[in-house]
Amino acid sequence: MIMIAVTINGKKSEVERGTTILKAAAALNIKIPTLCNHELLEPYGACRLCLVEIVEGDRSTVTTSCNYPITKPLVVETESKTAVKARRMVLEMLLARCNTSPELDRLAAKHGLSGSRFELRYDDCILCGLCERVCREVVGANAITFAQRGAERVVVPPFGGEAEQCIGCGACVYVCPTGAIQIQEDGDQKIIDRWSRVLELKYCKACGVEVAPAFQCDYFQKKADLPEDFFDLCRDCRVASR
């Protein structure tokens, strides 16, 4: 294991070669704000809120810390004037795109911002990609994807219709930092409006309690090679029947 020296906000440490600045900072109890990072997902650098300043002699560069691997000795400043100024600019752009997120409002207030100087877009998505990545990398459903480019870029089901591969697990709802994705139940259905997805619920044949969406049961039955009738019973009735 190759260890690399790193100094963050004056705190010295050694980390394994390839460790990201964000993780190295966390190990030193230095918190860097981020909206698109999750420990279960590959770094993406989409929100760019985790900008830090790397100082090399009399020169410095600003970079995202979540996807910057430490491969040589580094001196990093997370709260320098340059880093904070860059982060405030990113926050203003995020606020211009989405001004309805409590989490964004909290971060803005923490950085002394009460609004954005840029034209408001009134969107509820900041294109952090957490929903797309958790669906693809963790769940393996690949039910949604990025489409279009530039200002028109969006996350949508393939071909823009219903997300036919969505199993209704709610992982995208859980990781979304702006609350743009909601899941609800209506009678015997589970509905995710953003993905135009409607799933019929499956109930335990013994006690009648809800098990999960039928499509989700089929997905995990095949993925885990379980008996075809595995999800006919809820967990409690399945255990009681043994």
Side-chain angles (χ1 to χ4, degrees):
M1 180 185 301
I2 300 176
M3 303 300 289
I4 308 291
V6 60
T7 302
I8 305 178
N9 295 355
K11 295 183 176 181
K12 295 183 179 181
S13 178
E14 285 193 343
V15 298
E16 185 177 352
R17 178 185 172 90
T19 301
T20 65
I21 293 175
L22 186 67
K23 288 184 177 179
L28 290 170
N29 291 319
I30 297 172
K31 186 172 178 57
I32 301 173
T34 176
L35 289 170
C36 72
N37 188 71
H38 193 286
E39 60 184 6
L40 295 180
L41 303 174
E42 290 295 317
Y44 192 56
C47 74
R48 304 193 66 78
L49 197 56
C50 64
L51 290 173
V52 296
E53 182 180 14
I54 296 176
V55 181
E56 297 179 277
D58 58 353
R59 304 175 63 180
S60 71
T61 56
V62 174
T63 186
T64 50
S65 60
C66 70
N67 58 355
Y68 191 103
I70 298 172
T71 58
K72 61 181 182 180
L74 288 182
V75 175
V76 180
E77 296 292 339
T78 71
E79 298 299 328
S80 67
K81 185 177 180 180
T82 299
V84 172
K85 182 180 180 181
R87 203 176 297 143
R88 282 169 56 93
M89 176 65 78
V90 170
L91 268 171
E92 282 199 73
M93 290 190 285
L94 292 174
L95 284 169
R97 181 180 181 90
C98 172
N99 67 345
T100 58
S101 166
E103 178 62 10
L104 263 178
D105 289 342
R106 185 189 68 79
L107 287 169
K110 189 175 180 180
H111 285 75
L113 293 170
S114 58
S116 175
R117 81 188 81 168
F118 304 113
E119 182 180 354
L120 299 181
R121 177 164 171 155
Y122 300 108
D123 203 333
D124 57 359
C125 172
I126 59 171
L127 297 177
C128 68
L130 280 174
C131 56
E132 187 275 340
R133 286 182 289 144
V134 75
C135 185
R136 172 170 48 84
E137 296 180 20
V138 177
V139 182
N142 294 299
I144 50 179
T145 186
F146 279 103
Q148 304 185 49
R149 296 181 179 180
E152 304 303 318
R153 191 166 173 80
V154 290
V155 180
V156 293
F159 309 111
E162 180 179 2
E164 296 181 350
Q165 298 304 312
C166 172
I167 64 173
C169 65
C172 57
V173 179
Y174 179 76
V175 298
C176 178
T178 64
I181 312 165
Q182 299 293 323
I183 190 169
Q184 58 183 322
E185 288 189 15
D186 184 5
D188 295 337
Q189 296 178 328
K190 183 166 283 189
I191 302 168
I192 305 179
D193 285 334
R194 195 170 193 91
W195 314 136
S196 303
R197 185 57 166 158
V198 179
L199 295 144
E200 299 296 328
L201 294 172
K202 187 179 183 106
Y203 297 90
C204 176
K205 288 185 176 180
C207 70
V209 304
E210 176 188 324
V211 177
F215 188 80
Q216 184 182 129
C217 293
D218 291 343
Y219 177 84
F220 285 117
Q221 182 265 318
K222 293 173 182 174
K223 192 176 184 70
D225 195 23
L226 298 169
E228 290 188 2
D229 61 351
F230 185 83
F231 290 108
D232 284 354
L233 300 178
C234 67
R235 179 185 176 279
D236 290 344
C237 289
R238 195 182 309 123
V239 171
S241 66
R242 291 174 181 168

